[in-house]
Amino acid sequence: MATILVTGGAGYIGSHTVIELVKAGYEPIIFDNFSNAKPAVLARIKQICGRSVPFYAGDIRVYEQLAQVFKNHKIDGVIHFAGLKAVGESVKKPLEYYDVNVNGSRVLLQVMSDFGCKNFIFSSSATVYGEPDAVPLTEDSPVKRANCPYGQTKVDVEYMAQELQIAHPEFSITLLRYFNPVGAHESGLIGEDPRGIPNNLMPYLTQVAVGRLECLSIFGNDYPTPDGTCIRDYIHVVDLAVGHVAALKHCLDNAGVHIYNLGTGNGYSVLDMVKAFSKAIGRELPHKFAPRRAGDVVSCYADPAKAKNELGWVATHTLDDMTRDAYNWQKNNPNGYED
Ligand code: NAD
Ligand code: UFG
């Protein structure tokens, strides 16, 4: 079975994807510099998979560190998760974001090219659609200039990879545009472990639920939506991971550029999420309304039909599954991974 390099494989989405790759019979190799992950995740992956997964410590910006993996193994394809992802931090540190996300991706594509590896799957984001003109978003919806450096790095890498494919048609480039990944593996052994105060809704909810944080602030209740709060397409991280396995099979078999939305097609408001979470924990989760957060789009959800038709993939987990599994992970690991 194919050997797959997983950059950022120690992170939130990467670790879940490594497990699904092993389940599907692939040979993943994790490459990560632990800038936003903890080594403890490797033992958890081993516990879930029943075997260890090869690991290399390294930085995607360092050619030799990546090349070492390609010298030691015949890599059939790369799933590229490694990168920085905090919107607010990217506004403060734009050069760091362009260096890691864009330059790091460039170095990776160079190494792949030099070693004859042509199959590349990239973690893009619904952020490339900016403020949507219409929802649901299809893959043909316009890609816009992003309103933060993080988002722009996703747009830039999408273009860089597509331009490489034009120059070298034997490349197979898959761009996966994730909507809002949430939840955790059902074992409760791996999950999302953000550093500091979470920026994103679901880890904030889980930390309020276990008493690490006092109260959720809902950013804005005067949006033009049914309950006044913003709407997103939350997708269970295991569905997302399974989507990568489906995309990988297609990527390995077909040269070209392939773009897919990975979402459920359902839009839920922030208040819907608070209600669902309160149900999962059996009590009302403390929350209050606060001013709008700069840069938030009003409503963003996917039309996932293309992934269904071409990859045979659909998200199967419900909102209740997402809240249950997110809470289960946080309850079992109130302080995240402890090293
Ligand atoms: P994460 O931070 O948990 O995972 C990223 C991993 O990359 C971490 O383990 C980190 O240590 C590693 N890393 C960072 N810089 C590196 C470098 N220079 N060299 C090697 N490793 C490095 O994030 P995630 O939520 O798992 O996201 C994975 C990918 O998906 C990212 O590219 C992110 O931008 C993208 N994405 C995430 C979301 C989301 O909401 N989580 C949404 C859309 C897209
Ligand atoms: N929210 C709150 N309170 C919080 C956190 C979030 O009300 O404490 C709200 C936000 O205002 C938004 C919704 O919950 O309406 C979802 O917010 P998240 O931060 O969880 O997710 P975003 O949709 O803002 O972020 C996602 C990805 C990013 C990506 C961004 C671009 O997680 O990687 O979309 O739009 F950059």
Side-chain angles (χ1 to χ4, degrees), residues 259-280:
I259 303 179
Y260 299 103
N261 285 338
L262 294 185
T264 65
N266 302 315
Y268 290 107
S269 73
V270 180
L271 277 172
D272 289 334
M273 297 303 285
V274 172
K275 275 186 209 130
F277 207 84
S278 300
K279 186 176 149 203

Side-chain angles (χ1 to χ4, degrees), residues 155-225:
V155 175
D156 289 354
V157 175
E158 281 204 0
Y159 278 113
M160 175 168 63
Q162 292 181 79
E163 284 154 4
L164 175 68
Q165 205 281 331
I166 292 168
H168 298 282
E170 66 280 13
F171 263 91
S172 178
I173 300 289
T174 302
L175 308 174
L176 299 180
R177 295 177 180 157
Y178 312 155
F179 282 69
N180 286 57
V182 296
H185 192 262
E186 61 175 10
S187 63
L189 287 168
I190 61 169
E192 190 170 11
D193 183 19
R195 288 180 185 212
I197 309 271
N199 298 308
N200 298 116
L201 179 62
M202 188 60 105
Y204 208 105
L205 286 169
T206 61
Q207 292 196 15
V208 173
V210 298
R212 250 171 94 173
L213 295 168
E214 261 178 34
C215 177
L216 172 78
S217 293
I218 296 178
F219 299 139
N221 62 342
D222 56 353
Y223 283 100
T225 62

Side-chain angles (χ1 to χ4, degrees), residues 17-28 45 49-53 245:
T17 301
V18 163
I19 285 159
E20 297 307 320
L21 287 169
V22 170
K23 255 169 90 176
Y26 290 99
E27 289 291 339
I45 291 172
C49 294
R51 70 159 171 95
S52 57
V53 171
V245 176

Side-chain angles (χ1 to χ4, degrees), residues 11-13 32-33 35-37 58-60 81 85 124 150 154 181:
Y12 172 47
I13 306 170
D32 203 296
N33 69 353
S35 64
N36 196 36
D59 190 311
I60 51 165
F81 294 103
K85 64 164 184 177
S124 189
Y150 165 73
K154 293 294 172 194

